[in-house]
Amino acid sequence: MPHAPIIARTLSSLHRARTELGKRNATVGLVPTMGALHDGHVSLVRLAKRRAKKVVVSIFVNPTQFAAHEDLGSYPRTWKEDIAKLAAEGVDLVWNPDAKTMYPEGFATRVAPEGPALAGLEDRFRPHFFGGVATVVAKLFTQVRPDMAFFGEKDFQQLKVVTRMARDLDLGVRIVGGAIIRERDGLAMASRNVYLSPEERRIAPVLFRTLKMTSKRLQAGDDFKIALADGVTAIKEAGFAEVDYLEARHAETLAPISTMDDGPVRLLVAAKLGTTRLIDNVKG
Ligand code: AMP
């Protein structure tokens, strides 16, 4: 049986535990999360266990990546279940700072990512988001000093932003992406899926089905504009309130593209089902 992970809530206890983990040159992998852990998070933990000798998971619901109208107060928190899952996976250390530890009185420095953070996807609808993510991830990296950090492709633009930042700021952390883990009906796992009513939950897999259908059409040579417009119609007709975007982008640069030859292609979508905003993406 694996041991329960060490839980650190202050910087001094984190540093003590980190020093212990790094003995005998053991490599350290970090999986940053906001808790409410599901199989998507667990798959990143398993990937980290395969790649690194020691695994640290951070659980921090980061206030600076939520806008005032967003769900910071009601974001699901399932601490006991989270720790049980991490213990079962043999995680070594959980870093669980509170907001005051992360952002002490007078905190006045932010990372302002550009490039993929200004691609016109999530940033168009959540302009506060990547600044908040980049700042907290940079802090997590300097706090935990991992050799590698693991991020899900579920948040595809975020993965690009963090990869760029680690390179640009010479953070010395190798960023590794993990595949999207889905429910049996195709819905991408997400902590926010618990907000969906039973009726919305039934509709939600339309997002993935539409991505797959659109991808097939693009591969068959259909016109990008028409296939994407049809996809938006299908999502709305299924009962989604709003489609923020359904776009074909270059899988590396996130630049807009309009033919398969401009690829590799990634199809990305964000849409609101009732008041819950869902995102997903697939290979084009
Ligand atoms: P979050 O707790 O939502 O901030 O997510 C923490 C990490 O888990 C991020 O790197 C996400 O991209 C990743 N993640 C979330 N959902 C999934 C999923 N369904 N499959 C794979 N990775 C995921």
Side-chain angles (χ1 to χ4, degrees), residues 15-257:
H15 290 149
R16 260 198 313 277
R18 171 64 180 87
T19 302
E20 204 55 40
L21 289 187
K23 283 190 172 158
R24 287 182 289 280
N25 284 334
T27 51
V28 172
L30 171 68
V31 181
T33 81
M34 298 206 299
L37 303 181
H38 50 65
D39 287 355
H41 300 110
V42 171
S43 82
L44 287 179
V45 168
R46 290 183 182 164
L47 181 60
K49 291 275 296 181
R50 290 198 295 276
R51 299 285 185 91
K53 194 89 188 137
K54 302 287 179 184
V55 173
V56 182
V57 173
S58 60
I59 298 183
F60 179 63
V61 183
N62 177 33
T64 69
Q65 68 193 66
F66 288 76
H69 66 276
E70 290 181 345
D71 56 345
L72 174 64
S74 60
Y75 193 83
R77 287 162 171 88
T78 57
W79 174 258
K80 266 195 174 163
E81 293 88 337
D82 290 356
I83 294 304
K85 285 177 189 174
L86 299 179
E89 297 303 322
V91 165
D92 298 285
L93 171 63
V94 175
W95 171 223
N96 177 228
D98 63 14
K100 279 223 175 85
T101 301
M102 194 57 98
Y103 304 113
E105 186 76 27
F107 184 86
T109 305
R110 280 171 74 85
V111 177
E114 298 180 358
L118 300 177
L121 295 162
E122 284 302 286
D123 50 298
R124 240 184 332 132
F125 299 89
R126 307 184 72 196
H128 56 281
F129 182 68
F130 288 119
V133 167
T135 304
V136 82
V137 169
K139 283 188 61 104
L140 289 169
F141 286 0
T142 49
Q143 291 164 342
V144 176
R145 290 179 286 109
D147 300 287
M148 293 159 248
F150 299 82
F151 291 84
E153 287 186 345
K154 160 86 192 323
D155 301 274
F156 198 78
Q157 189 179 5
Q158 172 176 283
L159 173 59
K160 302 293 169 193
V161 170
V162 169
T163 304
R164 185 75 255 166
M165 175 182 73
R167 260 189 230 146
D168 289 353
L169 300 184
D170 302 319
L171 296 178
V173 181
R174 177 198 295 271
I175 308 300
V176 182
I180 302 177
I181 305 301
R182 301 179 177 283
E183 304 286 357
R184 288 165 72 97
D185 59 12
L187 174 64
M189 289 192 181
S191 304
R192 288 187 170 99
N193 289 351
V194 298
Y195 297 153
L196 299 171
S197 71
E199 171 65 1
E200 289 166 350
R201 177 63 190 80
R202 194 185 57 72
I203 296 169
V206 165
L207 222 47
F208 179 52
R209 282 208 289 277
T210 305
L211 284 172
K212 274 198 306 189
M213 169 61 72
T214 309
S215 162
K216 251 191 206 155
R217 285 185 59 180
L218 300 186
Q219 281 168 22
D222 274 13
D223 179 81
F224 270 43
K225 255 198 176 151
I226 296 171
L228 292 166
D230 288 350
V232 170
T233 305
I235 294 167
K236 282 189 179 153
E237 280 180 352
F240 279 76
E242 247 169 280
V243 180
D244 283 350
Y245 57 83
L246 169 62
E247 293 207 28
R249 293 295 183 101
H250 190 283
E252 290 309 320
T253 64
L254 296 183
I257 53 179

